Amino acid sequence: MARETLPVALDLMFGHEGGYVNAKTDRGGPSKYGITHKTLAAHRGVASVTAEQVKAMTREEATEIYRRSYWVQSGGDLLPKGLDYAAFDFGVNSGPATAVRRLQRVLGVREDLHRNIGIRPPSVHAHISCHVQGSRREGGASHSL
């Protein structure tokens, strides 16, 4: 549904997350574009990567990581515009499974606790439609993530 919004979501994410960071106070270790060294290593299928490898990561590789490991799993291809980015951003910061379960909870649908299943279109789309139509009639949304 919102696949065409991925480039906009990525621009927002890159602008928000920034470039390379390796602060001693950050428990996540070295990161670039908001992607940690552990996520980069997992994406590359290796046990670990060095700070220099993180620093050398290209925006293209970061885009692929975000698309494959966060956008799809957080429901970005299925959700309406705006909600797709909210779920994507939440997924980047808390993990896609947490973002999906929280959205399911807000919508009042059964939480799917299986990893990497994502958002089930029929039940979630029906509930989103009801909530969006109901909130328009009532003058605002009644829930937040």
Side-chain angles (χ1 to χ4, degrees), residues 4-22:
E4 71 279 1
T5 62
L6 177 58
V8 173
L10 287 168
D11 284 344
L12 290 168
M13 187 63 65
F14 288 133
H16 176 73
E17 292 293 344
Y20 177 75
V21 177
N22 191 7

Side-chain angles (χ1 to χ4, degrees), residues 30-45:
S31 66
K32 186 173 181 184
Y33 306 125
I35 296 171
T36 66
H37 66 101
K38 289 180 182 178
T39 300
L40 180 60
H43 172 75
R44 291 181 177 178

